[in-house]
Amino acid sequence: MRLLWKLVILLPLINTCAGAGLLSRPIFTEEPQDVIFPLDLPKSEIILNCAATGYPSPHYRWKQNGTDIDFIMSYHYRLDGGNLAISSPRTDQDIGIYQCLATNTLGTILSRKAKLQFAYIEDFETKTRSMVSVREGQGVVLLCGPPPHFGVPDISWRRLDGNPLPGKVKYSKSQAILEIPNFQQEDEGFYECIAGNLRGRNLAKGQLIFYAPPEWEQKIQNTYLSIYDSLFWECRASGKPNPWYTWLKNGERLNPEERIQIENGTLIITMLNVSDSGVYQCTAENKYQIIYANAELRVLASAPDFSKNPIKKNSVVQVGGDITIECKPNAFPRAVISWKRGMESLRQSKRVFLSEDGSLKIYNVTRSDAGSYTCIATNQFGVAKNTGSLVVKEKTVITIPPSKMDVTVGESIVLPCQVSHDPSIEVVFIWSFNGDVIDLKKGVTHFERIGGESVGDLMIRNIQLNHSGKYLCTVKTTLESLSAVADIIVRGPPGPPEDVRVEHISSTTSQLSWRPGSDNNSPIQIFTVQARTPFSVGWQAVSTVPEILNGKTYNATVIGLSPWVEYEFRVVAGNSIGIGEPSKASELLRTKASVPVVAPTNINGGGGSRSELVITWESIPEELQNGEEFGYIIMLRPVGSTSWTKKRVPSVESSRFVYRNESITPLSPFEVKVGVYNNEGEGSLSTVSIVYSGEDEPQLAPGGTSVQSFSASEMEVSWNAIAWNRNTGRVLGYEVLYWTDDSKESMIGKIRVSGNVTTKNITGLKANTIYFASVRAYNSAGAGPSSPPVNVTTKKSPPSQPPANIAWKLTNSKLCLNWEHVKTMENESEVLGYKILYRQNRQSKTHILETNNTSAELLVPFEEDYLIEIRTVSDGGDGSSSEEIRIPKMSSLSSRGIPVLEPSIYFLSAVIVFYYFTIQPLTR
């Protein structure tokens, strides 16, 4: 008993020093295989391989025919690592069964049996064939071959147990060979071959027996148990015949005894002690093979130890919650557990529960439960203690959860999710939409988290229809997870109607049908039909029957269409939210043709040549022509006549018709009507209009033509009006023709005036140039003869130099101006006088003062600065202006910018003058 206690104390020390994870039993990586050694080989050594892993590294020994090999006494055996080398093998001494044993501190394992045989040649024995044994899954071939001199027989096969041959069997060409692939147990039994020909019939029988070597169905596994526990192991294998089982411990056969029970493949050991530790093997064997299953049994004995599984240092729980503090020390045998809170022992109560595994459970935790808790573990080898703290936090509560909302598409909403929580606990908000987490960190469109630490509100901007659904706010802390859900319904205008079809079409109507689209959570209240033609500006609403299409109406008749026009239709739905997107357009279809109903308007005409009646009208647009082969009907007659002349104009684009007849007198009035027609018939006629026939050009030239020049660039032409009658030709107005004397130029100008105007001013002429002019009358037939030409020379050009050396003096509201007389060049008009243009700085109205002198006085109220310029006046027109001068709004100043002490004149040069003021020309 003293030795047992030493082992009990020693094993925990080994575990502590080596580490439980480092020690491992031997496991074979290579086992010996059967060897057939030819005697005639020159090689004189046999190697049987054996290798194993484990920690510590295993050492090896071998058995021959169940007896340990003594490597000292048997000189021709030697170990090479784990391999067995046999030098100069002999048939009488070395033949037999070999097994390798691998051993370390945890135990020993025994290898599979390896058979060593020697090969040599002897005479074959002649004896009767016995039954054939076939391994599971292999194929078998049965031969049925008669002697060749009997001729070719007919061969058939059958089973003697009455069962049919397996469907998988194969035959040779002559059926002399029967092949059964993938042989199974149901294929075993007696088979008979029957051969017959003209000379007779014969048969042969054979038996097939199924066998299968053992295969593991259940192996034993490494097991670690406490001292005094019980071990139960079971190994199970299949095979044919059924295998039997043997148990080994550390390579030696294990026999039943007081604590050890062995029954077939089961092993039971009660009241385990440390000496039961080791490597165990279960063998399954039948006549064809033996297989091994290996496992380690480690019996543990130690005092309680918290080093590997200490109590959680801080266990955190919320008020009202439940907490489990685990206490799982390593102890063999299992320790008895008790608890203390602070210095007081804990006992079970309604809220405190000590579970069988040693854990402490506290239900409905309160603030007063916070503190230190000590687990005390005891077994016969010692006592150990370990302490942890219980921290109690306030419970997290969702104070403002999200609520159901009914919103309109395009709005922005906020889903609240606000909590109260313990200040020391971090709160995380997670939003999900229809089960999918919204990743707000990626900047998802429309979604935005707003709020602070305790506020996890979700803002949805510009909400869309596809945002309808369930929104879940999940609040997570290190202790718990809370959630609240809300349904959001987004309502919007209806979706586009579908499958718009034209069921029937006439000349002015069309029957439509359609299917409603999505109502987008708001019932459809109305449908509207729209149409488009090649002549319309986009889509236009059309009239229907019924006039109002409610949300339950899915067909209508469109009315008021134009005949012979291509139409497309679409449907738009509306609800209380608004008007939705239109449907796809229907098939493009043309209405049927009909007689045109719209008559031409704006019937007019006149003009043209003698014996012609010119009639004009506004053409009918294509969308109102109502059919093919469209044209116009002209109805005309002289005023006072009773019969009409009818003409057809087949051109679609016509808007003018000329009726010619030599009997027509000039300017004769006609009654005219214009109508329309197409392939379907004649349509409406316009109202009657009076149109006059063509006329002759005027026959008389104007008299009394004269011309005079007013400046270098203009002249005025005058003439006497013509007194006309129907014989001399109607006069509608006059044409003025003008040209220069330069023979290189033809007529350079023609200006028309209408009515009885008898003068015309012509501008834009060259200075100092001779111009010729004549006048002629005109009417709708053309122009008449010209008057004799008259001529005039335009004035010389106005002076090109502006007035210079302008001086000014301002006293109160009196402004005196002086300047130098402008001398003209030879090709310029003489200076006749001067114009002074002046205005207030912020006013646009300009005042003009004319004078023949080189000085002037102005009486003006100087409330603002004045802007002044001076220009010459001549026969050729106004000359160049001086640069604009600014007169400041100050009294008693001169052009030098100093106070006026006595009457005197100062000159203002075109150059900038500096004194107290800067007076300079302004940029225009």
Side-chain angles (χ1 to χ4, degrees):
M1 188 66 183
R2 183 179 180 185
L3 178 60
L4 177 61
W5 278 105
K6 287 182 179 179
L7 288 172
V8 169
I9 294 169
L10 178 61
L11 188 58
L13 290 176
I14 293 174
N15 286 342
T16 301
C17 296
L22 294 177
L23 292 175
S24 61
R25 64 177 175 84
I27 299 174
F28 281 121
T29 58
E30 187 175 18
E31 296 187 63
Q33 303 296 320
D34 294 344
V35 175
I36 299 177
F37 187 77
L39 289 175
D40 57 351
L41 283 181
K43 182 180 177 182
S44 59
E45 186 176 68
I46 298 173
I47 301 295
L48 295 175
N49 296 322
C50 181
T53 59
Y55 187 85
S57 298
H59 58 271
Y60 301 90
R61 54 195 176 93
W62 284 79
K63 286 187 176 186
Q64 180 194 20
N65 297 325
T67 303
D68 283 350
I69 296 177
D70 187 344
F71 289 96
I72 296 175
M73 299 300 296
S74 302
Y75 63 92
H76 71 300
Y77 293 112
R78 65 181 176 84
L79 272 176
D80 182 7
N83 300 334
L84 174 64
I86 307 175
S87 303
S88 303
R90 296 184 297 182
T91 57
D92 59 337
Q93 181 177 345
D94 298 322
I95 194 170
I97 302 298
Y98 289 80
Q99 287 181 282
C100 171
L101 293 92
T103 303
N104 70 6
T105 54
L106 296 181
T108 301
I109 54 173
L110 180 66
S111 76
R112 67 180 296 278
K113 294 179 180 179
K115 183 185 295 185
L116 174 59
Q117 295 175 287
F118 292 91
Y120 54 90
I121 296 177
E122 290 184 351
D123 294 334
F124 286 111
E125 295 182 1
T126 56
K127 60 181 182 180
T128 306
R129 293 183 181 179
S130 61
M131 63 182 177
V132 178
S133 295
V134 186
R135 181 173 179 173
E136 177 186 10
Q138 291 182 334
V140 64
V141 176
L142 299 180
L143 303 177
C144 185
H149 58 274
F150 287 143
V152 179
D154 294 325
I155 299 174
S156 62
W157 293 83
R158 69 188 182 100
R159 290 181 64 158
L160 296 183
D161 57 7
N163 291 325
L165 291 173
K168 60 189 174 182
V169 300
K170 299 177 182 179
Y171 300 96
S172 65
K173 189 173 183 181
S174 63
Q175 290 200 334
I177 300 176
L178 173 69
E179 180 183 352
I180 306 175
N182 190 23
F183 191 83
Q184 297 296 322
Q185 184 167 355
E186 61 267 19
D187 298 326
E188 78 174 359
F190 288 93
Y191 288 75
E192 183 179 69
C193 166
I194 304 168
N197 60 13
L198 295 176
R199 295 194 176 188
R201 183 169 174 271
N202 203 352
L203 55 86
K205 299 177 182 178
Q207 183 182 10
L208 295 179
I209 296 178
F210 172 86
Y211 84 91
E215 288 188 7
W216 286 120
E217 293 179 348
Q218 179 177 330
K219 293 183 178 181
I220 57 175
Q221 304 295 329
N222 290 343
T223 303
Y224 305 99
L225 295 173
S226 175
I227 190 172
Y228 308 138
D229 283 349
S230 295
L231 168 71
F232 176 82
W233 262 337
E234 181 181 10
C235 59
R236 187 168 61 253
S238 62
K240 182 71 184 297
N242 291 331
W244 63 90
Y245 301 92
T246 305
W247 288 87
L248 305 175
K249 177 187 176 185
N250 293 331
E252 301 295 331
R253 188 181 181 106
L254 188 65
N255 295 310
E257 55 183 62
E258 181 181 355
R259 294 184 303 109
I260 300 173
Q261 302 174 33
I262 297 174
E263 185 174 347
N264 290 330
T266 61
L267 170 64
I268 299 174
I269 305 177
T270 60
M271 289 297 292
L272 288 171
N273 58 53
V274 176
S275 63
D276 293 322
S277 298
V279 177
Y280 289 74
Q281 292 176 285
C282 174
T283 70
E285 182 178 6
N286 64 14
K287 62 186 292 185
Y288 300 106
Q289 192 175 344
I290 181 172
I291 56 176
Y292 295 81
N294 309 329
E296 177 194 355
L297 170 63
R298 192 177 300 184
V299 181
L300 304 173
S302 66
D305 177 22
F306 284 98
S307 60
K308 292 184 179 178
N309 292 310
I311 290 179
K312 192 174 181 180
K313 186 175 182 181
N314 287 304
S315 297
V316 183
V317 66
Q318 291 176 313
V319 173
D322 302 332
I323 186 70
T324 298
I325 305 175
E326 293 185 340
C327 178
K328 295 183 177 180
N330 288 327
F332 304 97
R334 183 176 170 182
V336 176
I337 303 298
S338 61
W339 284 87
K340 283 187 175 183
R341 181 188 170 201
M343 301 302 294
E344 297 180 5
S345 296
L346 272 181
R347 300 184 181 279
Q348 285 203 161
S349 65
K350 290 182 180 180
R351 293 193 310 109
V352 179
F353 180 73
L354 304 177
S355 60
E356 291 185 3
D357 64 358
S359 300
L360 172 64
K361 293 185 178 181
I362 305 176
Y363 299 96
N364 193 19
V365 173
T366 64
R367 279 283 188 183
S368 61
D369 291 324
S372 63
Y373 289 79
T374 301
C375 175
I376 304 165
T378 306
N379 69 6
Q380 59 263 51
F381 299 115
V383 178
K385 299 180 181 180
N386 200 235
T387 300
S389 294
L390 177 61
V391 179
V392 180
K393 304 280 189 180
E394 287 296 331
K395 193 172 184 179
T396 303
V397 177
I398 298 179
T399 55
I400 305 179
S403 58
K404 182 177 180 180
M405 297 182 73
D406 192 318
V407 298
T408 301
V409 66
E411 293 181 353
S412 294
I413 64 170
V414 174
L415 294 178
C417 188
Q418 300 178 16
V419 299
S420 64
H421 63 96
D422 193 289
S424 64
I425 296 180
E426 183 180 356
V427 177
V428 177
F429 294 90
I430 300 171
W431 280 93
S432 300
F433 172 50
N434 288 340
D436 296 324
V437 174
I438 302 172
D439 191 349
L440 296 170
K441 293 181 180 178
K442 290 186 176 180
V444 185
T445 308
H446 301 287
F447 296 106
E448 180 185 343
R449 159 83 190 278
I450 59 176
E453 181 183 353
S454 300
V455 178
D457 295 353
L458 177 69
M459 171 173 276
I460 309 176
R461 298 183 186 274
N462 188 21
I463 197 166
Q464 299 299 304
L465 292 168
N466 59 1
H467 293 148
S468 290
K470 290 188 179 296
Y471 287 81
L472 178 72
C473 175
T474 302
V475 182
K476 286 191 174 182
T477 69
T478 54
L479 302 176
E480 63 183 337
S481 177
L482 309 173
S483 62
V485 68
D487 288 316
I488 303 300
I489 299 175
V490 183
R491 304 186 191 276
E498 301 172 353
D499 197 21
V500 177
R501 294 187 179 186
V502 178
E503 304 290 350
H504 178 264
I505 194 164
S506 69
S507 59
T508 58
T509 65
S510 176
Q511 292 180 2
L512 297 184
S513 66
W514 61 88
R515 290 189 295 109
S518 170
D519 67 1
N520 292 332
N521 299 319
S522 181
I524 297 173
Q525 296 174 341
I526 192 169
F527 289 102
T528 303
V529 179
Q530 298 176 341
R532 179 173 65 179
T533 72
F535 317 109
S536 64
V537 180
W539 291 89
Q540 305 291 330
V542 291
S543 299
T544 59
V545 175
E547 184 178 356
I548 297 176
L549 306 176
N550 62 41
K552 299 297 183 181
T553 303
Y554 306 137
N555 52 69
T557 299
V558 182
I559 59 175
L561 303 180
S562 296
W564 199 245
V565 172
E566 290 182 326
Y567 278 90
E568 292 176 286
F569 299 98
R570 71 182 188 183
V571 182
V572 180
N575 59 16
S576 61
I577 307 301
I579 303 299
E581 292 292 318
S583 69
K584 291 182 180 178
S586 68
E587 179 185 2
L588 183 66
L589 292 175
R590 186 186 289 273
T591 51
K592 299 188 183 309
S594 72
V595 174
V597 295
V598 177
T601 59
N602 198 19
I603 311 302
N604 216 321
S609 302
R610 185 184 181 92
S611 303
E612 288 183 348
L613 177 63
V614 178
I615 303 169
T616 61
W617 62 89
E618 285 189 12
S619 58
I620 300 297
E622 183 180 348
E623 63 266 29
L624 299 177
Q625 294 171 5
N626 292 8
E628 294 182 292
E629 303 298 327
F630 179 84
Y632 296 93
I633 297 172
I634 311 299
M635 305 289 288
L636 58 96
R637 67 183 179 185
V639 172
S641 174
T642 58
S643 62
W644 292 90
T645 299
K646 182 178 180 181
K647 298 291 183 182
R648 281 183 177 246
V649 181
S651 175
V652 172
E653 298 176 356
S654 294
S655 61
R656 184 174 184 269
F657 174 71
V658 179
Y659 174 67
R660 293 179 177 86
N661 193 315
E662 293 298 328
S663 65
I664 298 177
T665 58
L667 282 179
S668 298
F670 279 78
E671 290 181 322
V672 176
K673 295 188 290 186
V674 181
V676 288
Y677 72 93
N678 62 18
N679 274 351
E680 304 299 316
E682 294 184 0
S684 304
L685 289 168
S686 69
T687 58
V688 173
S689 297
I690 303 298
V691 179
Y692 285 86
S693 62
E695 59 186 339
D696 287 332
E697 299 90 347
Q699 304 298 309
L700 301 176
T705 304
S706 64
V707 61
Q708 56 180 326
S709 174
F710 289 136
S711 70
S713 61
E714 62 180 329
M715 65 181 182
E716 183 184 80
V717 181
S718 302
W719 63 92
N720 295 329
I722 297 174
W724 61 273
N725 55 45
R726 183 177 294 187
N727 294 326
T728 61
R730 183 174 58 153
V731 175
L732 296 179
Y734 299 90
E735 280 183 352
V736 179
L737 310 177
Y738 61 96
W739 64 95
T740 65
D741 195 26
D742 190 342
S743 60
K744 294 181 181 179
E745 297 185 27
S746 60
M747 183 183 65
I748 61 171
K750 180 173 69 174
I751 300 175
R752 275 193 171 189
V753 295
S754 61
N756 290 322
V757 176
T758 57
T759 61
K760 180 59 181 174
N761 199 44
I762 300 173
T763 60
L765 305 178
K766 295 180 181 178
N768 200 23
T769 303
I770 297 175
Y771 278 89
F772 294 85
S774 68
V775 182
R776 61 188 181 186
Y778 72 87
N779 61 20
S780 61
S786 297
S787 67
V790 293
N791 67 76
V792 70
T793 301
T794 53
K795 305 291 185 184
K796 292 182 180 180
S797 299
S800 58
Q801 293 297 321
N805 293 328
I806 301 170
W808 60 271
K809 182 175 69 175
L810 176 64
T811 304
N812 295 326
S813 60
K814 181 179 180 182
L815 175 64
C816 297
L817 294 168
N818 292 83
W819 59 90
E820 285 186 355
H821 177 68
V822 175
K823 295 180 179 180
T824 59
M825 300 178 69
E826 185 178 350
N827 61 346
E828 294 178 344
S829 298
E830 291 289 335
V831 175
L832 301 179
Y834 299 90
K835 283 183 182 179
I836 301 164
L837 293 83
Y838 60 98
R839 64 182 176 87
Q840 286 183 305
N841 181 31
R842 298 184 182 180
Q843 300 291 327
S844 59
K845 183 178 179 181
T846 300
H847 302 275
I848 299 175
L849 174 66
E850 294 193 15
T851 180
N852 294 330
N853 302 316
T854 56
S855 63
E857 290 184 357
L858 300 176
L859 293 175
V860 290
F862 272 79
E863 298 169 354
E864 292 283 344
D865 292 358
Y866 266 80
L867 302 175
I868 296 177
E869 60 180 72
I870 304 172
R871 65 176 62 159
T872 56
V873 177
S874 71
D875 283 342
D878 290 352
S880 300
S881 293
S882 66
E883 292 183 337
E884 200 168 52
I885 302 164
R886 182 188 296 271
I887 307 296
K889 59 172 183 178
M890 284 186 160
S891 61
S892 303
L893 288 179
S894 69
S895 57
R896 291 190 175 270
I898 61 176
V900 177
L901 301 178
E902 58 184 61
S904 58
I905 296 176
Y906 298 90
F907 292 95
L908 177 63
S909 172
V911 182
I912 300 171
V913 177
F914 293 96
Y915 197 60
Y916 294 105
F917 295 93
T918 299
I919 300 175
Q920 62 185 37
L922 299 178
T923 302
R924 297 189 66 185

